[in-house]
Amino acid sequence: MKQNLFRNQDGSIREILDNIEGISYKNSPLDFFILLARYKFAMRFLRKNHNVIDVGCGHGLGTIFLSKYCKSITGVDLDKDLISENINNNKKIRNVSFQESNILSPDKKLLNKFDALVSMDVIEHFNSKDITKVIRNYFKLLNKKGFAVIGTPNLNSRKYASKRRLDTHEYEFTHDDFEKKLKKIFKNVFVFSMTDEIVSTSFPKMSWYLMAICTK
């Protein structure tokens, strides 16, 4: 996996209000809010009694967004310095916590704990050999009645992709491939098409992004 999405060339952490998942608000405000719209979609399924985990939380902007609609939320990321910055920046938000964790080997204390899992723009950063393991660990983080909302770019839009996307995404999915791989682990899988903020069940080959709701 690439480790430089949230860092400057000298290795320092970029300012929290400057970018989300590598997209700069100052340079591309539309793309910045498109990314947050994906968390807005996930928010619709959360309830005030839910304990939630945001896997691959990055700067935690999506984590903070979702915190307003659930009982508690834990943002996890494998970047230790990024997690430290998130903790320092969000100490006053009582129902939010951040923890260093790698989805390939999640902390055992997190297993079977959460009512809902959200993971946006994460799974495509792993190679094809690790995809099933990532999905299996998503499953393991959820309690018996838990569900997951997982978002990833559509492979069919890759020919229009930015250099940043081409350089950092190791594996991307078609609609059918995404659904097939998720169904190997989850009992029920519903895959939607998403372009900008519009979510639908039509024309998956033409959509920019894929959004899956998965239940155990």
Side-chain angles (χ1 to χ4, degrees):
M1 288 182 62
K2 301 291 183 181
Q3 302 291 321
N4 60 352
L5 290 177
F6 308 102
R7 295 177 177 274
N8 297 310
Q9 290 184 352
D10 63 359
S12 61
I13 299 294
R14 294 175 183 172
E15 294 180 8
I16 188 169
L17 293 180
D18 184 56
N19 70 88
I20 179 172
E21 218 276 310
I23 296 294
S24 169
Y25 170 74
K26 295 175 183 177
N27 294 330
S28 186
L30 177 61
D31 290 336
F32 185 88
F33 282 106
I34 287 172
L35 285 166
L36 284 178
R38 296 165 187 171
Y39 284 92
K40 181 180 177 182
F41 174 81
M43 170 270 290
R44 301 293 184 185
F45 302 93
L46 302 184
R47 299 294 179 267
K48 282 292 188 178
N49 64 337
H50 282 169
N51 295 309
V52 181
I53 185 167
D54 181 13
V55 177
C57 65
H59 277 292
L61 297 184
T63 312
I64 302 306
F65 183 101
L66 296 176
S67 72
K68 310 305 178 185
Y69 306 95
C70 61
K71 180 180 180 181
S72 70
I73 186 164
T74 302
V76 298
D77 201 281
L78 54 74
D79 190 320
K80 181 178 180 180
D81 295 336
L82 195 60
I83 289 298
S84 294
E85 184 174 272
N86 289 347
I87 292 171
N88 290 331
N89 288 338
N90 299 288
K91 291 178 179 178
K92 295 182 179 181
I93 306 178
R94 294 182 179 179
N95 68 333
V96 173
S97 63
F98 290 97
Q99 179 176 330
E100 179 189 358
S101 184
N102 187 338
I103 189 59
L104 291 177
S105 55
D107 186 339
K108 292 182 179 180
K109 293 180 181 180
L110 299 175
L111 300 181
N112 305 307
K113 181 178 179 179
F114 299 97
D115 302 294
L117 175 146
V118 176
S119 189
M120 301 296 175
D121 301 288
V122 173
I123 196 170
E124 66 273 9
H125 293 287
F126 294 88
N127 61 51
S128 58
K129 295 180 180 179
D130 286 331
I131 294 298
T132 298
K133 187 173 184 180
V134 171
I135 297 170
R136 186 178 292 113
N137 287 338
Y138 283 154
F139 185 93
K140 290 180 178 179
L141 289 167
L142 295 167
N143 60 34
K144 292 182 179 180
K145 295 183 179 180
F147 67 92
V149 184
I150 305 166
T152 190
N154 188 343
L155 176 63
N156 291 337
S157 68
R158 190 172 176 85
K159 61 183 178 180
Y160 307 107
S162 65
K163 186 178 185 301
R164 182 197 67 84
R165 173 176 165 184
L166 295 174
D167 289 345
T168 61
H169 293 186
E170 295 197 37
Y171 186 93
E172 293 188 349
F173 306 79
T174 64
H175 176 282
D176 292 345
D177 182 35
F178 193 40
E179 182 178 56
K180 181 180 179 180
K181 284 182 169 57
L182 290 169
K183 279 186 173 180
K184 287 182 178 180
I185 308 298
F186 285 93
K187 182 179 180 180
N188 299 298
V189 175
F190 308 92
V191 180
F192 297 85
S193 301
M194 188 172 188
T195 300
D196 294 348
E197 293 190 50
I198 306 301
V199 182
S200 72
T201 57
S202 59
F203 306 113
K205 291 183 180 180
M206 297 177 65
S207 69
W208 194 265
Y209 199 77
L210 302 170
M211 191 76 76
I213 302 173
C214 312
T215 65
K216 299 187 79 170

